[in-house]
Amino acid sequence: MSGATNLLVVAGGAGSGKSVALARAIQVARAHGWPTLALRIDRFLAASRIEDVGAALLDRPESPVGLLGNRHGLKETLLVVDQVDAVSEASGRSGRMRDQLFQMIADSGFYPKMKVVIACRSYDLEHDSRLKQFISSPYAQTVTLKPLDWEAGVRPVLRPLGLADRTFTDREQRLLSVPINLRVFVDLYRLGEVVEGEISGSRLFDQLIEVRAREFRDAGLQWTPQEALGAIAQSMSDHQELTAPVSVLSPYAGARDALSSASLITAAGGQIQFAHESFFDHVFSVHFIASGRTVRELLLSDEQRLFRRTQVRQIFARLRDETSNRRYLANLQEVGDRATAWLLPLMDDEDPQVRREAAHTSWDAILDGPTDRSALVLEHIQSRSFADESDWLMRSLEERIDRYPDVAFAAAMRVVELMDGWKGGERQGHWMTLHHLGRMLVRLYRAVDGDSRREAELLDLFDIYLAREPGDMRTQISAYERH
């Protein structure tokens, strides 16, 4: 952190190494003699007052900021807060602790020598209004963790294992470029385990659990890690919280110590958590699919809070990897209008096929639903991810242009804006978007019906489109003139 920076936000995807980066920051600060206080905000979601956090950390019923700043006011100090996404707007959880977190960040300004480092997912940083407000400050800095570079970051880890020359598919390379997946893969290999078939996140985790199950059997335990972890995951899902009371493990003698020693959970203050949030999604998806329930049933079973987002994504990932394509597609198609928004996270999936299928299915369901979803579509058109699945949204809008003329016009304007940034191969990759844009412009123009302002706006869009895609536009005009 530079001298003028008081707040550093470390952002990244799931498993990207945010907590490791925070641990490194703590190590460096302590090496320089800085008093440091670190906490995971997800362990305090039930706290009713910020003083409760101070009491739990240092047996003093005060704000952690005050405890650190008042005790070491003349020295450089560091406050570290991990798992901020647990109280983000997208989480739908613990509004009280969310307010207290942002109050702590604001209060740190009273101590000029205090630095604050927080970690959250990139999604939350982009979509949380209060986080965006903080990072817009000239005293704030953001570091976004990217996947590891294959040659510089992954291959050197594989080389000592004799795997540097092994051929990995593009999908496997993307998977192993995420630190948490690479760690599990390396741990398995060192244990003499070979992941059969194409490597996936589900297969890596399942094999890790199988290894732990053998170890538990050899130790004489009468229960399996699948059973105990399943009980934890079900409790978390039922309450839509990322912690569970340690009492859920009471049927499994010695489970708390055994699972902690196996680096599968952490336990503190009578609460337990998975060692990594992605472990929860993996465990829950296994038990959910085995139950025979559908994703629609899950989403309609209770209030649709955004806690379900990563659960849905992992369920679909496991359905794709382990079950027949029919069951996977049936779940996608069954989700329907009321639950459709839960398909949108799949549009960020690492697998292009999943992105295409999710975009196709979800936009059709959104636009065919019984309620007008214009506001949702208009919001998405302005998002960063619109270009990634614009092909399917433009196709869906073109087919429903009579119901959504204003939304179709807004989407057409947005694509025209984006066209200037599409060069060479990228433009070729959006050929379907441009094809549907031409058809939409013609249909919108034919339906102007005396609206001179809309007519003038469409003529401007025509001019821009003709300058860039003259052949395709003339084809669309000719086709419509023949009808």
Side-chain angles (χ1 to χ4, degrees), residues 133-389:
Q133 180 181 348
F134 271 105
I135 65 174
S136 65
S137 164
Y139 303 105
Q141 180 181 352
T142 301
V143 174
T144 300
L145 302 180
K146 302 294 185 182
L148 300 172
D149 179 81
W150 184 259
E151 295 299 329
V154 180
R155 198 178 291 279
V157 176
L158 300 178
R159 185 172 292 114
L161 304 176
L163 297 173
D165 296 327
R166 174 174 166 174
T167 300
F168 294 90
T169 66
D170 289 344
R171 184 181 174 196
E172 289 176 328
Q173 289 190 19
R174 289 194 299 270
L175 181 85
L176 295 179
S177 294
V178 177
I180 185 68
N181 295 329
L182 180 61
R183 191 196 81 186
V184 174
F185 177 78
V186 170
D187 288 347
L188 287 171
Y189 193 85
R190 287 172 173 165
L191 291 168
E193 297 292 319
V194 177
V195 180
E196 300 293 342
E198 185 177 28
I199 299 170
S200 69
S202 298
R203 289 195 179 100
L204 287 175
F205 181 77
D206 291 349
Q207 197 147 347
L208 174 65
I209 296 302
E210 285 297 328
V211 170
R212 299 303 182 218
R214 292 198 299 268
E215 294 172 348
F216 287 7
R217 284 196 299 270
D218 293 342
L221 296 176
Q222 301 301 308
W223 47 269
T224 67
Q226 291 91 334
E227 292 171 329
L229 295 175
I232 298 172
Q234 191 59 56
S235 174
M236 291 178 175
S237 182
D238 289 345
H239 297 91
Q240 298 195 35
E241 297 286 354
L242 291 175
T243 60
V246 72
S247 59
V248 301
L249 292 178
S250 56
Y252 312 102
R256 172 176 172 170
D257 291 339
L259 294 173
S260 297
S261 298
S263 299
L264 295 174
I265 67 168
T266 61
Q271 297 290 308
I272 49 179
Q273 295 174 291
F274 284 94
H276 192 273
E277 186 176 338
S278 63
F279 289 3
F280 161 65
D281 297 321
H282 282 296
V283 172
F284 180 80
S285 68
V286 170
H287 287 262
F288 179 83
I289 291 173
S291 74
R293 298 174 65 198
T294 67
V295 175
R296 180 180 176 85
E297 289 172 345
L298 170 67
L299 295 176
L300 300 185
S301 64
D302 55 20
E303 181 185 358
Q304 293 183 25
R305 291 162 56 187
L306 288 175
F307 180 89
R308 298 290 186 214
R309 182 167 63 99
T310 55
Q311 286 181 289
V312 169
R313 179 172 182 167
Q314 185 58 43
I315 290 170
F316 275 112
R318 188 172 287 275
L319 283 170
R320 182 192 67 230
D321 290 340
E322 295 186 356
T323 67
S324 67
N325 196 48
R326 180 179 299 176
R327 186 177 179 190
Y328 169 63
L329 292 176
N331 270 270
L332 275 175
Q333 293 163 0
E334 190 190 34
V335 169
D337 176 69
R338 181 177 171 190
T340 288
W342 301 96
L343 282 176
L344 298 183
L346 293 172
M347 296 180 186
D348 296 326
D349 195 276
E350 63 187 22
D351 189 327
Q353 180 182 354
V354 175
R355 291 199 298 270
R356 289 193 297 269
E357 291 169 351
H360 187 176
T361 304
S362 58
W363 286 125
D364 280 356
I366 286 172
L367 297 172
D368 284 338
T371 57
D372 188 312
R373 306 300 291 274
S374 298
L376 172 64
V377 184
L378 288 170
E379 179 182 359
H380 186 70
I381 286 168
Q382 298 303 320
S383 73
R384 294 183 182 180
S385 58
F386 167 64
D388 294 336
E389 75 278 352

Side-chain angles (χ1 to χ4, degrees), residues 411-461:
M413 289 188 66
R414 177 68 171 144
V415 171
V416 169
E417 291 175 4
L418 292 170
M419 285 174 65
D420 281 337
W422 292 342
K423 307 296 183 184
E426 187 177 11
R427 177 180 290 271
Q428 184 67 26
H430 286 289
W431 69 270
M432 188 186 294
T433 295
L434 299 175
H435 171 75
H436 288 299
L437 173 61
R439 295 168 61 92
M440 285 172 61
L441 289 175
V442 172
R443 292 189 61 186
L444 286 167
Y445 187 76
R446 290 164 66 91
V448 163
D449 195 23
D451 186 337
S452 58
R453 178 179 177 182
R454 177 60 57 85
E455 180 179 7
E457 291 172 331
L458 281 166
L459 287 173
D460 287 341
L461 294 180

